[in-house]
Amino acid sequence: AMFDWLGFKRPHKRAEIVIEVVGADLNSDANRFFDWFSKPDCFVTCLHGDITRKTQVENNTYSPRFLWQAKLPLEENSGFHFQVMENNAILRSEVMGRAFLSSEQAKKLIDTKEPALLSMGENIGVLKVQLSHPPESLRNDGFIFWSTVPKLHGKTEEMGLKRPRPTGMAEKKT
């Protein structure tokens, strides 16, 4: 209801999941043909349900460390498809390796809070990912920053907070 017009409310009512792509360790012998003049420039795509997310590109390495997170709506019966891609500025990007995490494996990872090392194929490399529930501050009533913006909900006076005055404004004398 409140602040729907600002777009702060989630567009869905489903549970959410935080996916973290920590990094990948690629076999240099198997992946040396992707970038002719240097080491590969890698990024990872994650497909869950009908939503795809993409990490940033890590340049010139066989051991990219993304430390990337995204919050997605949780599809209970859908797994996670990961692709490690070689970024190509001239032609289209190429798939270096693929990994799949089933919905059952995902539930176990969420419960144990342990990271997973996923094989991307024989002798290609491994991908390290972690799944978790969003922090409580990102789950309340669908508001993105409920815990950091109490003034949106009329609680500034209750907490003893005053509205900040813009800098450079002169004090009014009465």
Side-chain angles (χ1 to χ4, degrees), residues 56-93:
Q56 77 277 9
V57 175
E58 289 293 317
N59 292 320
N60 218 18
T61 182
Y62 288 110
S63 301
R65 297 297 179 252
F66 301 102
L67 303 176
W68 172 90
Q69 291 182 336
K71 186 172 71 164
L72 305 169
L74 180 61
E75 300 287 341
E76 293 289 332
N77 298 320
S78 182
F80 293 83
H81 299 265
F82 297 96
Q83 290 185 332
V84 177
M85 308 287 288
E86 203 283 321
N87 188 44
N88 194 327
I90 299 170
L91 304 172
R92 65 186 181 108
S93 298

Side-chain angles (χ1 to χ4, degrees), residues 4 18 20 23 28 63-64 72 102 110 121 128 132 135 139 151 154 174:
D4 284 346
V18 174
E20 179 179 3
S28 59
S63 301
L72 305 169
S102 70
I110 294 167
K128 185 175 182 179
S132 62
R139 288 190 268 173
K151 65 184 177 194
T174 55

Side-chain angles (χ1 to χ4, degrees), residues 72-133:
L72 305 169
L74 180 61
E75 300 287 341
E76 293 289 332
N77 298 320
S78 182
F80 293 83
H81 299 265
F82 297 96
Q83 290 185 332
V84 177
M85 308 287 288
E86 203 283 321
N87 188 44
N88 194 327
I90 299 170
L91 304 172
R92 65 186 181 108
S93 298
E94 298 178 79
V95 176
M96 297 177 74
R98 292 184 173 98
F100 180 75
L101 190 63
S102 70
S103 59
E104 293 82 22
Q105 292 170 319
K107 289 174 188 172
K108 288 179 187 174
L109 287 176
I110 294 167
D111 292 339
T112 62
K113 299 179 182 174
E114 293 290 322
L117 289 175
L118 306 174
S119 173
M120 293 185 286
E122 188 172 335
N123 205 24
I124 294 174
V126 294
L127 179 67
K128 185 175 182 179
V129 298
Q130 189 163 4
L131 301 176
S132 62
H133 292 292

